[in-house]
Amino acid sequence: MATLSTMTDPLAAVDAAVDRAASALSRAQRADGHWVFELEADCTIPAEYVLLRHYLGESVAVELEAKIGRYLRRTQSAEHHGWGLFHKGAFDVSATVKAYYALKMIGDDPDAPHMVRAREAVHKAGGAEAVNVFTRIQLALFDAGPWSAVPTMPPELILLPRWFPIHLSKMSYWARTVVVPLLVLCAKKPVARNAKGITVDELYTRRPIDRKTQAADPKWVWTKSFNALDKVLKVAEGHWPRSLHQRAIDTCAAWVTERLNGEDGLGAIYPAMANSVMMYDVLGYPEDHPARAIARQSVENLLVIHEDEAYCQPCVSPVWDTALAAHAMLEAGGADNVARAEAALDWLKPRQVLDLEGDWAEERPGVRPGGWAFQYNNAHYPDLDDTAVVVMAMDRAQVTDRMPIDRGVEWTVGLQSRNGGWGAFDADNDYDYLNNLPFADHGALLDPPTADVSARCVSMLAQLGERLDSPRMAAAIAYLRKEQEPEGSWFGRWGVNYIYGTWSVLCALNAAGLPADDPAVARAVGWLKAIQNPDGGWGEDCDSYALDRKGHVSAPSTASQTAWALLGLMAAGEADSDAVERGVDWLVANQEADGLWGQEYYTGGGFPRVFYLRYHGYPKYFPLWAVARYRNLKRSNTRQVAFGM
């Protein structure tokens, strides 16, 4: 196979790849200008969807459940016989129990070979006793597990003053939206109305189990204190003043209803949306009550139904997909591609949140709204990552109306945290002790500043002319320097993992004007080159999120991770390097017949060690972006990247 360096016109193959990819991405654009691609998680979301229908006692959707069943059976591992949290991932007992339960509910015979193998794998892992807190709640709702195994979460939590150590505003947005309706469910302890009465007694081993937390740094003092508090709460449960208890439940219901978000749902994420439906159900709201009906419809809107299979998405990603695809099309250039990017920006403009102070205002009162959310609508919860990417695309396209850009910057600056970085949804959401709460065994209760989101905000500010020595920029750069790993990489909270983080920060440092010989930049470049796969691409396994933080875990090359590595290296002035050439070679050689790239591996981060995402759009727009940038740099008189991403 000819490589870029051996061809008569070394850019001919790149030109062809860019044209084919841009044409294919154009065909995927919706008529109104936006892009949205499937967003796939692990088996737990479609399994929980099946269980939700049966919990509510809804009529059996035979064809839909058959398609979900085929999806679940296909994603069962042929190696460990259970289900993992990502493609080819290790066995996960909680995911496996949920998938097994859903298949049994659908009608799979427990003695069928695939069910027997899954059951044996669960037993080997300690049985259903070993599942995480949210799975224990799911089992308790079906009378398939004891409520005594669930940490006590009294609804009175919502009435606590903000100075109290445990307060909803000190948790992340996703924790808030999931927990509030759950407080009502845990107080009422309802039992599913499914007439079958199906349980999973056969998954229990009746042996003591030492449950583990996924918190990165559990503190024994806090853990022991919170465990002791849980014991006290269990004794006190049922003895709260009745009027106070009812006021707490009413407050929870009002909190959910205020944030219901129409057909986009509470928090626009599946767990919160499903919990809101069950909360309305247990409170006696009839099926046709407007709040319950719209909450129920929001769940249906997440379904992806193909000819043979179906699954439920954890959420949708239209703003993120549209903004990133617009960047790729702007990079590809040409009148038609630029026009498509401009249509995308026209679609994004009215989705800016300008008139609602979301939960973020608890920590930053007085800051004017101005962000974009990840989903179609999620006005209470815009995020800094989407906002920065949209603002950079608008600035790059030289939009005439600068108001959206100015308001986006104003909101972003207002949410910078004390340490100089940015979290995704809130400022200073770093109350680490809360990850020691008994119901926080997933270790993802908080939204502290992260290198990848902070880098995006730095890129945006730098692209718009922020001086490197301004106080907020200096604090942000200092934060990024502090966060660099010893070997030169950066941790990627929202993408897998160190490749994603390092790409993000290298782009930011370049935009801010740091030279290629800056020690932080040079170390990162050396690290990216060192982990390049022999085939020229880059890959990283989700296991790189291990609790011990050992760093990059190698994996087969993927289109999105190769693109990130290339964009990071080119931002650092490496467009002429052998590493970049080999990486572009890999992308060109692996472009598929439809002009895009395929990728089964998960490269999106939901919650490290707990929840991962397969963005179906990532291998479509990121490789186009990378090969187009390579072509543009090679054809220019400079190797300097002109924009923040």
Side-chain angles (χ1 to χ4, degrees):
M1 180 185 70
T3 64
L4 301 181
S5 59
T6 61
M7 296 179 62
T8 304
D9 179 1
L11 292 181
V14 175
D15 283 334
V18 169
D19 290 345
R20 291 173 60 220
S23 178
L25 195 59
S26 296
R27 292 192 296 273
Q29 189 174 23
R30 302 293 178 95
D32 62 2
H34 85 285
W35 281 274
V36 63
F37 298 98
E38 292 179 35
L39 182 58
E40 186 177 359
D42 55 62
C43 69
T44 60
I45 303 298
E48 287 180 18
Y49 172 81
V50 170
L51 294 172
L52 174 65
R53 291 188 65 96
H54 287 270
Y55 171 87
L56 296 170
E58 296 177 350
S59 59
V60 177
V62 177
E63 184 178 353
L64 176 59
E65 288 194 356
K67 289 184 176 185
I68 294 175
R70 284 193 285 273
Y71 174 88
L72 291 174
R73 292 181 211 105
R74 178 179 61 81
T75 56
Q76 185 177 11
S77 172
E79 297 177 3
H80 53 64
H81 307 305
W83 283 262
L85 300 178
F86 50 88
H87 180 63
K88 293 190 176 181
F91 175 85
D92 184 82
V93 66
S94 298
T96 301
V97 167
K98 286 182 180 178
Y100 179 98
Y101 202 173
L103 286 172
K104 188 174 180 182
M105 199 71 76
I106 288 170
D108 284 22
D109 187 342
D111 292 326
H114 67 288
M115 298 289 276
V116 171
R117 290 192 292 268
R119 185 164 61 249
E120 290 173 348
V122 170
H123 287 168
K124 186 177 179 181
E129 294 93 337
V131 299
N132 60 27
V133 166
F134 290 112
T135 306
R136 277 179 264 158
I137 293 172
Q138 186 86 67
L139 294 172
L141 289 169
F142 281 86
D143 202 22
W147 279 104
S148 61
V150 176
T152 300
M153 299 190 294
E156 287 77 8
L157 175 65
I158 201 168
L159 301 177
L160 293 173
R162 196 169 187 276
W163 55 260
F164 198 77
I166 304 172
H167 192 271
L168 286 168
S169 69
K170 296 176 180 176
M171 302 176 189
S172 63
Y173 119 73
W174 56 84
R176 258 174 262 147
T177 55
V178 169
V179 165
V180 172
L182 205 55
L183 294 176
V184 177
L185 291 171
C186 289
K188 296 287 189 179
K189 296 180 173 55
V191 176
R193 291 201 302 274
N194 63 312
K196 298 178 183 179
I198 296 173
T199 62
V200 285
D201 289 348
E202 68 273 18
L203 295 184
Y204 288 89
T205 63
R206 315 301 173 189
R207 295 195 301 266
I209 185 72
D210 180 19
R211 296 192 179 98
K212 298 178 181 179
T213 178
Q214 291 294 338
D217 189 22
K219 301 291 192 301
W220 70 269
V221 173
W222 283 108
T223 299
K224 285 185 178 294
S225 299
F226 285 140
N227 285 340
L229 176 61
D230 183 58
K231 292 178 180 178
V232 172
L233 290 173
K234 280 189 173 358
V235 173
E237 197 169 15
H239 299 287
W240 294 91
R242 187 169 298 176
S243 60
L244 180 68
H245 193 64
Q246 188 58 50
R247 182 159 68 93
I249 289 174
D250 292 343
T251 303
C252 288
W255 190 96
V256 169
T257 301
E258 179 186 342
R259 293 161 176 78
L260 207 49
N261 198 33
E263 286 195 2
D264 294 281
L266 177 63
I269 51 175
Y270 176 86
M273 291 152 67
N275 287 348
S276 71
V277 176
M278 291 188 284
M279 181 201 75
Y280 287 129
D281 178 70
V282 75
L283 291 177
Y285 287 54
E287 291 183 14
D288 60 355
H289 185 282
R292 175 173 169 167
I294 204 165
R296 182 67 187 85
Q297 182 58 46
S298 72
V299 174
E300 293 300 296
N301 293 345
L302 294 177
L303 289 173
V304 173
I305 303 174
H306 294 298
E307 185 175 349
D308 296 319
E309 293 184 349
Y311 70 93
C312 188
Q313 301 173 104
C315 62
V316 291
S317 53
V319 171
W320 188 240
D321 285 334
T322 299
L324 292 170
H327 274 283
M329 297 300 268
L330 289 169
E331 194 75 52
D336 184 65
N337 295 332
V338 171
R340 288 186 175 276
E342 290 172 344
L345 297 178
D346 287 342
W347 181 86
L348 286 166
K349 182 179 176 180
R351 281 161 178 79
Q352 187 175 24
V353 182
L354 296 170
D355 56 2
L356 175 66
E357 289 189 350
D359 288 3
W360 52 266
E362 286 266 355
E363 187 67 38
R364 287 290 188 271
V367 174
R368 284 201 301 173
W372 278 264
F374 181 78
Q375 304 89 348
Y376 285 106
N377 293 293
N378 197 11
H380 278 85
Y381 305 107
D383 70 272
L384 282 305
D385 219 357
D386 279 271
T387 300
V389 173
V390 173
V391 166
M392 282 188 279
M394 287 183 167
D395 175 71
R396 185 176 184 177
Q398 299 180 332
V399 297
T400 54
D401 181 5
R402 302 288 294 185
M403 184 279 293
I405 292 174
D406 294 340
R407 288 290 297 272
V409 170
E410 180 183 341
W411 183 71
T412 300
V413 167
L415 266 72
Q416 187 173 19
S417 291
R418 289 184 299 266
N419 65 3
W422 282 266
F425 298 90
D426 288 287
D428 295 316
N429 192 257
D430 52 4
Y431 302 89
D432 291 338
Y433 62 87
L434 290 177
N435 274 328
N436 296 275
L437 285 165
F439 68 81
D441 63 348
H442 57 314
L445 203 67
L446 306 175
D447 178 23
T450 61
D452 46 348
V453 176
S454 300
R456 217 86 65 220
C457 296
V458 167
S459 289
M460 179 197 72
L461 292 173
Q463 182 175 312
L464 293 171
E466 184 85 12
R467 291 173 54 87
L468 186 60
D469 59 356
S470 75
R472 61 192 177 211
M473 185 66 93
I477 297 296
Y479 166 80
L480 291 176
R481 288 188 185 279
K482 182 181 177 182
E483 288 296 303
Q484 189 171 26
E485 301 291 328
E487 76 282 355
S489 69
W490 278 272
F491 182 85
R493 164 64 179 83
W494 295 99
V496 182
N497 168 352
Y498 295 97
I499 295 175
Y500 183 88
T502 304
W503 154 63
S504 303
V505 178
L506 280 176
C507 289
L509 298 183
N510 166 72
L514 271 67
D517 60 358
D518 182 276
V521 175
R523 286 165 57 212
V525 167
W527 177 81
L528 276 175
K529 290 181 176 180
I531 64 158
Q532 187 172 19
N533 284 337
D535 63 8
W538 278 264
E540 183 172 352
D541 195 271
C542 295
D543 282 337
S544 63
Y545 286 107
L547 280 168
D548 56 20
R549 290 283 290 263
K550 287 184 178 178
H552 172 265
V553 176
S554 62
S557 298
T558 69
S560 58
Q561 290 167 325
T562 298
W564 297 336
L566 288 171
L567 289 167
L569 287 171
M570 287 186 284
E574 293 286 322
D576 295 326
S577 69
D578 176 68
V580 167
E581 183 177 296
R582 290 194 299 121
V584 173
D585 268 338
W586 188 92
L587 285 177
V588 171
N590 285 276
Q591 189 176 23
E592 296 188 345
D594 65 356
L596 299 173
W597 287 261
Q599 180 177 296
E600 286 190 275
Y601 286 91
Y602 285 42
T603 60
F607 309 122
R609 300 175 296 280
V610 178
F611 193 71
Y612 304 94
L613 298 167
R614 178 189 176 193
Y615 286 86
H616 287 226
Y618 277 12
K620 295 176 171 59
Y621 41 73
F622 278 120
L624 167 60
W625 193 342
V627 293
R629 174 157 294 175
Y630 176 79
R631 178 192 64 181
N632 296 341
L633 289 174
K634 296 292 280 188
R635 285 220 163 100
S636 72
N637 294 322
T638 176
R639 296 296 184 264
Q640 181 67 35
V641 176
F643 299 99
M645 289 186 72

